[in-house]
Amino acid sequence: EDAINEALKFDPDNALAKIETARKLIYNPAIAGGDLEEGIKILNEVIKGNPQIERSYILLGLAYEWSQEKDKAVSIYKSVLDINPLNAEAKFYYDELVSAK
């Protein structure tokens, strides 16, 4: 956590540090400092400025799934597959959601 904060102090636009911050917000419960909506906001900002970073899409898709926004999650996973059709993680989550419909 200190390393992430230090990285953002030196470069507030550090996409990888922002992704890690969002990951912590998404995975942690509110009582432990988690905030799903804030994590989604950060990831959308990262994607807007760095659309090539696939990891941000995966985390955003998971966040949308957990917030019960399945259609948005499907769209996000599809975006990853448009960037990289070989992304196994995106394919897994995409197929899982589409087959559940």
Side-chain angles (χ1 to χ4, degrees):
E1 189 169 329
D2 290 339
I4 295 165
N5 292 334
E6 199 66 25
L8 288 170
K9 188 187 306 180
F10 287 118
D11 178 10
D13 295 324
N14 184 318
L16 297 179
K18 285 182 173 183
I19 291 168
E20 185 59 23
T21 299
R23 186 195 63 76
K24 289 187 322 183
L25 290 167
I26 290 166
Y27 278 93
N28 284 324
I31 196 166
D35 185 338
L36 197 57
E37 292 304 316
E38 183 63 20
I40 288 171
K41 179 181 164 199
I42 290 170
L43 291 168
N44 276 310
E45 291 171 4
V46 170
I47 289 169
K48 187 175 180 181
N50 302 276
Q52 75 286 1
I53 303 176
E54 296 172 28
R55 186 70 192 145
S56 55
Y57 292 88
I58 298 296
L59 289 172
L60 182 58
L62 288 171
Y64 280 139
E65 280 190 67
W66 296 337
S67 65
Q68 303 304 310
E69 297 181 78
K70 307 271 190 224
D71 290 337
K72 285 184 178 181
V74 168
S75 177
I76 290 296
Y77 296 137
K78 178 73 172 101
S79 296
V80 178
L81 294 170
D82 289 343
I83 294 168
N84 177 6
L86 300 177
N87 186 308
E89 194 173 17
K91 181 154 180 42
F92 172 81
Y93 290 130
Y94 177 83
D95 289 346
E96 185 179 73
L97 282 177
V98 170
S99 68
K101 286 187 175 185

